[in-house]
Amino acid sequence: MKKNYVKIIVIIGVLLISAFALNTILGKEKSVAPKVVNGVLDLGNYEFNGAEPVEMNGEWEFVPNKLLNSEEFDKQQSSLVQVPSLWTKYELDGEEIPKYTSGTYRLRILLNDPTEVLGIKTTNIRMSNAIYIDGKLLGKSGIPAENSTYTPHNTPYVSYFSPNEDEVELIVHVANFDYASGGGILGSILIGDQNSIGKLRDSSLAYDWITIAAFSTMFIYFLGTYLHARIGMEQLFFSLFCFANVLYAISHGEKVFLQLFPSTPYALFERFQSLSSIWIGLFMLCFFHTSLKQLANKGIVKFLYVVGILLTGSALLPVKMNSGFQIYYSLYIFIILVYILYLQIIAISKKAVGASYLIFSTITIFIYFTVGTLNVMTNYALNIIPPLFPFICLTMLSLYISHRFMDSFLKKEELSKALLRVDKLKDEFLAKTSHEFRTPLHGIIAISQSMLEDRKSTLKVEEEEKMGLIVGTAQRLSNLVNDILDFSKLKEGDLSVNISPVDLYAITHVVVETFTYMIDKDVKIVNHIQRGQFVMADEERLRQILYNLIDNAVKYTIRGQVEINCYEQEENLVIEVIDTGIGVAPENLKHVFEPFRQYSNSSGGTGLGLSVTKELVHIQGGTITVDSTVNKGTTFSVTLPKATSLKEAMQHPFSISMPYIVENKERKKVIIADDDHVNLKVLIDMLMAEDYFIIAVDSGKAVLEQMKKHTDVDLVILDIMMPEVSGYEVCLQLRKSYLPSELPILMLTAAVRPEDMVAAFQSGANDFLHKPFDTSELKTRIRNLLLMKESSENAVKMEVAFLQAQIKPHFIYNVLNSILSLSYLDLDKARAMITDFANFMRGSFSFENTHSSVPLEKELSLIQSYVNIHRTRFPEQLVWQVQMDDSLHCLIPPLLLQPIVENAIVHGLKMKDGQGTVRLIVKRENDRIVFRITDNGLGMSEQRLQQIWNVEKEKGQGVGLQNIEKRLKYFEDASIQITSEEHKGTTVEIRFPLIQSEKGGR
């Protein structure tokens, strides 16, 4: 019982201390300034120069229910009222002013120096206002009106004016038809010279921005910490508490939010204000309940949670309703503060970790809450308290969290040391027992297989299945034992390597490409290693060495570059990784390869990277050295045996002549590339079973060469590690000409790092598969990629079909009108136009448009029909010319020429004075056919032409130029080129391989 009394006394004491501190701040004496008496503010003897702005508080003249100008105000019976205050507190002729109404305030100001530029600053005039000086509008927030048609927008502002006379008249129009507690001038209106008003405005904004910056920083920091580790819910709730304070700071005081987004509806902004108040209390409760969960009463916390959620819902109600809950929002936060203070006192009494910091934070929160409440309810400004209060609060709460985490970290560190000891014993036990398992397991497998083979003829089906199950299970267990032994060897440093000639350029290029997608700072990696450099090493282990060294260089380089060089030294190659980082002190240089060794400038990690790298170099018969200068950089040099010749580096234990082509016409065409001919043979056999057209090569350069010869390839399967040109380079080159949907690329690699996968996708690959791969999985992925490409091709074909099918309604309407008119004037022309229109419509809707090719004659017939229609409608506008060899018969993609001719007629000759000419020239050049469409229209500038081309590509409509370009990619040496000159015309030239039709021949 005694303890409860002590806790209550402490709570009361803390609140009294807070109240005393707040009273000291709010009760600070201000310099004596004139007051408004009988509607007059006498500043005749007041010098503004260097003085603080004057609060125009006192007796103002007031007329309710009307918004009046000076002359109208004089005709009305006015009353003297106290400003600042709510107008619901006024009693005029024994009657109270209603909450929802409008009114006019007037004040006469007597000045000392009428030539001085003065300023006026508002604080809180609810809910909209307009201020007039001598009848001229000085400033406003919202649009006041005498009824609910007004526009609410209660934002503080500053305006300046030059009085020019000793007396000025100040009229304030105020309207409120939303806020439940009523309207009026709630905050002081201040007047001062230009300098003092400006300083006041700047200090108010500075206070708001300091508060916003302080809480935003902590919000980002603790939210990032929580998202990174996903431990400690108190970090999440503390970050949300800081976020709620940011919302409160930008929506109160000078209302920075409305200055940044002035078009925000005030009804939405008012809900924003209410939510920020509620969330401060709710997230503060969440934070302290999570931090002090063992001390909290579940029933009380649950009740406060429910109330907080209900109040959050009430904040979303219309302004007339939720503004009536303001007092309950404040009461809710006050109750939470008292309950939190109670929890803190219990925590201190039980010597909880870091609890001593909480009392100070609670005092600052209480003071800040009280001032915030007074700001909403009365005439106190938020910046009346020093800007240090947010920092004090955040500092105390941050120290509390840090103390708790440090204590938790130390405990975990002790547990980690114990776990490491246990882990070491576990590894030793695992290695020994696994080694002992191998002999009996091999015995079980051998005996089982022997019984199965010797007695297979005498065994029943069920017995044979069971024996097969025993063999399979024993083999799986044997594989598991081998994996455990390999793991133990890895930890003991007993690694086996497969030494073979390795292309140093290719492997370095792949590692550098991987890092280009990982680096997030100003560090450039430069690979100076030339093609044709080969070393004797284990490919995967050498890759691991380079990765560790480059990663270490990047880690300790703030800005600059990392260079990779190599040079010959007798029978060896020396690989250098040079950085411009912070370097290593001379006394630490000899320890850099020691395990678990870290220094004061360490950027994290376990300190094992360089130790592992050294062991990997040594087991491959090489050496590694380091040279470093503090603040200048570090150089790691790896020496490995050089491959004796290029022939040695390129030799294969199993060889296939390259390129290896398996023709299978009318089937999907696949290019596969791998520098290992054994792997290539496996891929070839697998794809042959699926009836693909196969092109197999063993280098990246060969892939690019084959793509030039076979432009209709459906899929490319690339190994990342290939000599001269890596898979990444090939992929990047292909993506310059083909979209992922046009040419799917599947990458294969033995590397298992996640960075490799990221680099593959960044370079343009559609899919990624690790070696060794499962055959069924690879087949499935190939089918899916081919289906994706087929869907893309179908979409392009359907675009061609719709290109003419999507005829604009006004075109049909105009043609029909022309036919109707000609039927009265020239029946023969009308019949001819009907025939051309029918041919054009039939060609537009023909399903042949989805075919890969049509005869040139059909395309020209469709063009001629369109031209005839246009010339019949506009006989004086168009001259159509065709130049073509009559003996030329070939196949072309459907609708290759018609859209360009139509575009030349509709757009090229548009707005041209007089007769225009469109010419189509068709000629043969060796094994290609050239189409040239020219017009003498208005033409375009080069910039305009490029803009049209880019817009079509960005919109991705696939119609017109973009569609034609897509389809031309599938034909070797096909191209489209557009040239145009303003006021002279446009020329479109298409070059296409000559494909003979049945009528023609060579």
Side-chain angles (χ1 to χ4, degrees):
M1 198 70 178
K2 238 180 207 181
K3 288 184 180 179
N4 290 334
Y5 283 128
V6 170
K7 292 170 188 174
I8 294 170
I9 291 170
V10 173
I11 291 174
I12 294 171
V14 171
L15 294 178
L16 288 175
I17 293 171
S18 303
F20 176 78
L22 188 60
N23 183 63
T24 303
I25 295 168
L26 301 181
K28 203 165 48 172
E29 288 188 5
K30 297 183 180 180
S31 58
V32 177
K35 298 291 183 182
V36 180
V37 179
N38 292 325
V40 178
L41 177 61
D42 188 359
L43 300 176
N45 297 320
Y46 190 85
E47 294 288 343
F48 282 113
N49 187 22
E52 293 183 357
V54 175
E55 294 180 346
M56 295 188 287
N57 298 343
E59 299 172 332
W60 288 49
E61 292 179 271
F62 177 70
V63 174
N65 307 320
K66 296 179 181 179
L67 302 179
L68 309 170
N69 58 30
S70 179
E71 295 178 0
E72 293 170 342
F73 196 98
D74 290 333
K75 296 176 183 178
Q76 299 290 327
Q77 181 180 354
S78 62
S79 304
L80 294 175
V81 297
Q82 283 296 320
V83 172
S85 65
L86 285 168
W87 60 36
T88 52
K89 296 182 180 179
Y90 306 157
E91 272 194 26
L92 306 181
D93 298 330
E95 294 183 1
E96 292 183 354
I97 303 297
K99 295 182 292 185
Y100 306 120
T101 185
S102 61
T104 303
Y105 293 83
R106 184 169 74 171
L107 173 66
R108 299 182 186 278
I109 306 172
L110 305 180
L111 300 172
N112 180 23
D113 184 5
T115 62
E116 190 175 18
V117 176
L118 301 179
I120 284 181
K121 182 185 184 306
T122 66
T123 52
N124 186 7
I125 306 178
R126 192 184 292 164
M127 286 287 287
S128 67
N129 68 87
I131 297 179
Y132 298 83
I133 293 288
D134 292 334
K136 295 181 180 179
L137 179 65
L138 183 64
K140 67 177 181 177
S141 180
I143 304 174
E146 294 182 355
N147 52 45
S148 58
T149 60
Y150 84 127
T151 302
H153 216 275
N154 181 12
T155 308
Y157 58 88
V158 168
S159 297
Y160 299 93
F161 67 97
S162 297
N164 297 324
E165 293 182 8
D166 295 333
E167 179 179 339
V168 294
E169 181 188 61
L170 177 68
I171 288 182
V172 183
H173 289 172
V174 183
N176 172 52
F177 295 92
D178 290 293
Y179 213 90
S181 60
I185 302 176
L186 274 74
S188 298
I189 302 177
L190 298 99
I191 185 171
D193 60 15
Q194 188 174 3
N195 187 43
S196 63
I197 289 293
K199 284 183 178 179
L200 178 62
R201 173 69 165 179
D202 292 342
S203 64
S204 300
L205 286 172
Y207 181 86
D208 287 347
W209 280 114
I210 288 171
T211 305
I212 292 167
F215 282 102
S216 296
T217 302
M218 303 308 290
F219 162 65
I220 294 169
Y221 175 78
F222 282 99
L223 180 62
T225 304
Y226 170 76
L227 293 177
H228 179 73
R230 298 283 180 177
I231 56 173
M233 285 295 292
E234 62 264 31
Q235 290 189 80
L236 174 63
F237 290 130
F238 183 68
S239 68
L240 294 175
F241 167 71
C242 293
F243 175 71
N245 277 279
V246 172
L247 295 184
Y248 189 90
I250 65 175
S251 61
H252 290 76
E254 292 301 304
K255 299 180 181 176
V256 175
F257 184 89
L258 289 179
Q259 295 178 23
L260 297 175
F261 307 100
S263 60
T264 303
Y266 202 85
L268 178 63
F269 177 75
E270 197 279 337
R271 294 179 176 89
F272 188 67
Q273 286 182 306
S274 300
L275 284 173
S276 67
S277 301
I278 298 165
W279 286 351
I280 286 176
L282 185 59
F283 291 132
M284 184 166 53
L285 175 66
C286 293
F287 168 66
F288 283 101
H289 171 238
T290 307
S291 302
L292 306 172
K293 185 176 290 186
Q294 68 278 11
L295 306 176
N297 184 292
K298 292 183 180 179
I300 295 175
V301 172
K302 187 175 181 180
F303 171 77
L304 291 174
Y305 277 157
V306 172
V307 172
I309 293 169
L310 291 175
L311 291 178
T312 299
S314 72
L316 303 176
L317 296 172
V319 177
K320 282 187 178 180
M321 300 177 68
N322 75 35
S323 58
F325 287 88
Q326 290 292 337
I327 186 64
Y328 300 105
Y329 300 161
S330 300
L331 181 61
Y332 175 69
I333 297 174
F334 178 79
I335 292 171
I336 287 175
L337 280 170
V338 173
Y339 182 69
I340 287 172
L341 186 57
Y342 173 77
L343 291 180
Q344 292 171 1
I345 293 166
I346 297 176
I348 292 172
S349 66
K350 294 190 175 183
K351 297 181 179 180
V353 178
S356 56
Y357 296 112
L358 297 178
I359 293 295
F360 297 101
S361 66
T362 303
I363 291 173
T364 56
I365 293 172
F366 179 80
I367 293 173
Y368 195 79
F369 155 75
T370 305
V371 172
T373 303
L374 293 175
N375 172 258
V376 175
M377 302 296 182
T378 61
N379 186 34
Y380 286 98
L382 276 176
N383 61 358
I384 198 169
I385 59 176
L388 292 175
F389 272 65
F391 291 100
I392 295 172
C393 172
L394 290 173
T395 301
M396 293 299 106
L397 290 175
S398 300
L399 287 172
Y400 168 68
I401 294 175
S402 300
H403 197 161
R404 282 171 54 88
F405 268 83
M406 183 54 68
D407 183 77
S408 176
F409 173 80
L410 293 174
K411 289 180 180 177
K412 288 179 180 178
E413 190 175 28
E414 293 176 3
L415 291 173
S416 297
K417 290 178 180 177
L419 286 172
L420 286 172
R421 290 193 296 270
V422 174
D423 184 65
K424 188 175 182 180
L425 293 173
K426 180 260 299 178
D427 289 338
E428 292 175 359
F429 171 79
L430 202 59
K432 290 178 181 179
T433 53
S434 298
H435 185 75
E436 295 298 326
F437 278 148
R438 296 185 71 179
T439 302
L441 271 174
H442 288 163
I444 293 172
I445 294 172
I447 294 171
S448 300
Q449 287 178 334
S450 176
M451 290 180 64
L452 187 60
E453 292 172 1
D454 293 343
R455 302 184 183 182
K456 193 170 184 179
S457 58
T458 60
L459 290 175
K460 296 180 181 178
V461 175
E462 285 186 17
E463 293 173 338
E464 185 178 339
E465 288 179 352
K466 289 178 181 179
M467 288 300 298
L469 184 61
I470 292 172
V471 173
T473 305
Q475 287 177 336
R476 285 198 299 271
L477 186 54
S478 177
N479 291 333
L480 177 60
V481 169
N482 289 331
D483 290 340
I484 293 173
L485 288 172
D486 289 340
F487 175 74
S488 300
K489 289 179 181 180
L490 181 64
K491 297 198 74 173
E492 293 297 326
D494 185 16
L495 296 175
S496 60
V497 291
N498 180 23
I499 304 297
S500 63
V502 175
D503 185 341
L504 183 58
Y505 169 80
I507 200 167
T508 308
H509 178 78
V510 169
V511 174
V512 171
E513 282 293 307
T514 303
F515 271 96
T516 58
Y517 302 113
M518 297 167 51
I519 297 177
D520 57 356
K521 56 183 178 179
D522 187 17
V523 177
K524 184 179 180 182
I525 302 179
V526 183
N527 183 14
H528 293 300
I529 294 178
Q530 301 297 317
R531 299 180 189 272
Q533 300 287 347
F534 300 90
V535 294
M536 298 300 295
D538 182 294
E539 181 178 299
E540 183 57 31
R541 299 305 176 191
L542 177 56
R543 190 168 181 273
Q544 186 177 350
I545 290 167
L546 289 171
Y547 185 92
N548 287 346
L549 292 178
I550 296 174
D551 181 60
N552 186 76
V554 171
K555 187 185 299 181
Y556 291 102
T557 303
I558 299 173
R559 65 175 61 86
Q561 67 179 17
V562 177
E563 299 181 34
I564 301 99
N565 296 320
C566 81
Y567 61 88
E568 293 186 15
Q569 188 180 72
E570 298 177 353
E571 297 299 319
N572 300 316
L573 267 182
V574 180
I575 307 164
E576 291 184 328
V577 178
I578 308 167
D579 66 63
T580 57
I582 59 177
V584 182
E587 62 272 16
N588 297 328
L589 206 56
K590 59 183 178 181
H591 302 297
V592 292
F593 295 114
E594 294 180 8
F596 303 105
R597 173 74 71 164
Q598 292 183 309
Y599 310 102
S600 58
N601 60 357
S602 174
S603 63
T606 61
L608 275 174
L610 293 178
S611 176
V612 170
T613 300
K614 182 180 180 180
E615 294 301 320
L616 289 175
V617 173
H618 284 174
I619 62 175
Q620 295 181 79
T623 59
I624 182 170
T625 59
V626 60
D627 182 32
S628 183
T629 303
V630 176
N631 297 327
K632 288 189 177 181
T634 304
T635 300
F636 284 93
S637 301
V638 176
T639 304
L640 290 171
K642 182 179 64 173
T644 56
S645 65
L646 176 63
K647 185 176 181 181
E648 177 188 358
M650 296 297 294
Q651 66 184 1
H652 301 285
F654 171 79
S655 182
I656 307 174
S657 60
M658 292 289 116
Y660 185 88
I661 298 177
V662 179
E663 292 194 8
N664 197 347
K665 293 183 179 180
E666 306 301 326
R667 304 296 292 179
K668 298 295 183 181
K669 190 176 290 187
V670 180
I671 291 181
I672 54 178
D674 196 316
D675 61 329
D676 188 329
H677 285 204
V678 175
N679 292 339
L680 208 55
K681 177 62 176 172
V682 171
L683 286 170
I684 291 170
D685 292 343
M686 186 204 71
L687 293 177
M688 285 178 65
E690 298 290 310
D691 286 335
Y692 291 119
F693 188 118
I694 305 167
I695 303 170
V697 293
D698 59 359
S699 69
K701 188 177 180 181
V703 174
L704 299 176
E705 292 174 354
Q706 291 300 319
M707 284 300 302
K708 293 179 181 178
K709 297 178 182 178
H710 302 271
T711 56
D712 58 341
V713 170
D714 295 290
L715 174 68
V716 177
I717 302 175
L718 287 176
D719 181 38
I720 290 180
M721 291 300 304
M722 290 187 292
E724 296 186 353
V725 182
S726 71
Y728 292 139
E729 291 179 282
V730 175
C731 196
L732 288 170
Q733 288 295 324
L734 293 177
R735 283 293 169 253
K736 292 179 180 179
S737 304
Y738 299 92
L739 295 172
S741 58
E742 295 172 345
L743 180 63
I745 298 175
L746 173 63
M747 280 196 171
L748 306 176
T749 182
V752 294
R753 290 180 180 272
E755 296 86 358
D756 299 307
M757 186 182 298
V758 173
F761 288 123
Q762 292 284 359
S763 62
N766 295 73
D767 205 350
F768 185 96
L769 195 59
H770 290 292
K771 294 180 184 178
F773 48 78
D774 181 74
T775 303
S776 59
E777 181 183 3
L778 179 59
K779 289 180 179 179
T780 302
R781 295 199 183 203
I782 290 174
R783 291 192 197 104
N784 289 340
L785 291 173
L786 290 173
L787 283 173
M788 179 199 71
K789 181 179 186 297
E790 188 175 347
S791 300
S792 176
E793 288 177 346
N794 290 336
V796 174
K797 290 178 181 178
M798 292 309 298
E799 286 169 3
V800 180
F802 286 125
L803 182 62
Q804 287 298 323
Q806 293 174 342
I807 300 174
K808 296 179 181 178
H810 74 267
F811 171 76
I812 299 175
Y813 177 76
N814 291 337
V815 172
L816 292 176
N817 275 345
S818 298
I819 293 171
L820 181 63
S821 299
L822 286 172
S823 66
Y824 293 105
L825 301 175
D826 192 331
L827 192 58
D828 291 336
K829 284 187 177 181
R831 290 171 178 170
M833 193 171 185
I834 291 171
T835 302
D836 289 326
F837 183 59
N839 289 336
F840 181 74
M841 294 297 288
R842 183 166 53 251
S844 299
F845 289 100
S846 173
F847 284 102
E848 292 182 6
N849 290 338
T850 60
H851 296 172
S852 60
S853 60
V854 296
L856 175 60
E857 294 84 353
K858 179 176 178 60
E859 182 80 359
L860 294 178
S861 174
L862 181 66
I863 293 172
Q864 189 62 51
S865 297
Y866 180 82
V867 171
N868 290 343
I869 291 171
H870 196 84
R871 292 176 66 183
T872 304
R873 292 182 60 212
F874 307 102
E876 303 298 328
Q877 187 186 67
L878 174 64
V879 174
W880 168 249
Q881 298 176 354
V882 180
Q883 297 179 15
M884 173 181 165
D885 185 358
D886 292 337
S887 63
L888 186 59
H889 301 283
C890 62
L891 299 175
I892 64 172
L895 298 176
L896 180 69
L897 305 177
Q898 193 277 333
I900 299 176
V901 173
E902 181 179 344
N903 189 70
I905 295 173
V906 175
H907 298 292
L909 303 181
K910 187 178 181 182
M911 305 298 293
K912 177 178 175 61
D913 296 331
Q915 199 170 55
T917 300
V918 177
R919 182 179 293 108
L920 170 62
I921 300 173
V922 184
K923 62 180 181 179
R924 176 175 175 176
E925 290 184 358
N926 298 325
D927 291 334
R928 290 194 295 177
I929 183 169
V930 179
F931 304 97
R932 188 176 292 113
I933 300 102
T934 62
D935 67 69
N936 63 346
L938 297 178
M940 296 172 285
S941 65
E942 185 176 347
Q943 182 180 2
R944 175 60 179 162
L945 179 62
Q946 189 63 38
Q947 183 182 3
I948 291 174
W949 188 272
N950 291 338
V951 166
E952 186 166 319
K953 283 187 176 182
E954 289 171 4
K955 289 183 178 178
Q957 295 172 339
V959 178
L961 298 178
Q962 179 73 357
N963 181 279
I964 292 171
E965 185 194 33
K966 279 184 181 179
R967 290 185 287 145
L968 288 178
K969 283 183 181 178
Y970 297 109
F971 299 90
E972 185 177 0
D973 296 329
S975 65
I976 180 172
Q977 184 177 1
I978 305 173
T979 58
S980 185
E981 189 174 349
E982 288 186 287
H983 309 299
K984 290 190 177 181
T986 303
T987 298
V988 180
E989 183 176 282
I990 297 176
R991 293 181 175 271
F992 192 77
L994 183 63
I995 304 173
Q996 296 285 357
S997 64
E998 295 179 358
K999 295 181 181 180
R1002 288 182 179 264

